[in-house]
Amino acid sequence: MFWRTEEAIRKRALQLLEMFGLLDYTHIPASALPYGLQRRLEMCRALASRPEIILLDEPAAGMNPREVHEMAELIRWMHREFALTTILIEHHMQLVMDVCPRILAMDFGQVIAEGPPQYVQSHPRVIAAYLGTEEAV
């Protein structure tokens, strides 16, 4: 019985690695992978347990513009493919605006705006908090 469970886990892991374009890297330790591939691997690990919700904490941190674009595509695909509720914590505003249909903006732990990207992006409290302008209330 144990070997069947182990085989099922191995099959799931290989399936995820293939879906994320990582199958050719199975012989390389995770720490030796380029940063962008490490982020993909982290997502594979998170999905291995078949979650219903996933929290992505700054997935674009340290990435160049091309990698950020690829990450946005990956997040959208993952959200659809796995039917996940996806929570994204991110300071890269272009990524947030590109992938999130609903945004909750916070300032020092307090919600200052919530809604679609265009609403949040133009909200006076968001502008004041993130750009340092005076708040227009």
Side-chain angles (χ1 to χ4, degrees), residues 59-81:
M63 292 185 170
N64 65 43
R66 180 187 52 79
E67 292 170 325
V68 171
H69 175 73
E70 290 172 1
M71 180 58 66
E73 293 297 319
L74 181 63
I75 292 169
R76 277 193 286 276
W77 170 81
M78 189 175 62
H79 177 75
R80 286 187 315 269
E81 182 72 23

Side-chain angles (χ1 to χ4, degrees), residues 2 63 88 99 108 112 117 129:
F2 175 76
M63 292 185 170
L88 176 66
V99 300
F108 294 102
I112 57 174

Side-chain angles (χ1 to χ4, degrees), residues 20-132:
F20 278 78
L22 297 171
L23 204 52
D24 292 340
Y25 301 97
T26 57
H27 64 287
I28 300 173
S31 61
L33 291 172
Y35 186 68
L37 295 180
Q38 286 182 18
R39 299 309 295 240
R40 285 178 177 262
L41 182 59
E42 290 170 4
M43 292 177 174
C44 284
R45 287 177 179 160
L47 293 170
S49 63
R50 302 180 194 276
E52 293 179 17
I53 186 169
I54 191 164
L55 171 65
L56 302 174
D57 187 9
E58 304 235 11
M63 292 185 170
N64 65 43
R66 180 187 52 79
E67 292 170 325
V68 171
H69 175 73
E70 290 172 1
M71 180 58 66
E73 293 297 319
L74 181 63
I75 292 169
R76 277 193 286 276
W77 170 81
M78 189 175 62
H79 177 75
R80 286 187 315 269
E81 182 72 23
F82 296 94
L84 293 169
T85 296
T86 306
I87 298 174
L88 176 66
I89 300 169
E90 182 60 67
H91 288 94
H92 193 286
M93 288 300 101
Q94 190 59 52
L95 175 68
V96 172
M97 296 299 162
D98 286 349
V99 300
C100 299
R102 181 174 176 79
I103 297 171
L104 184 139
M106 300 180 79
D107 185 29
F108 294 102
Q110 299 295 314
V111 176
I112 57 174
E114 185 176 354
Q118 297 78 12
Y119 171 78
V120 172
Q121 185 176 24
S122 63
H123 194 285
R125 290 188 67 194
V126 172
I127 294 169
Y130 288 87
L131 298 179

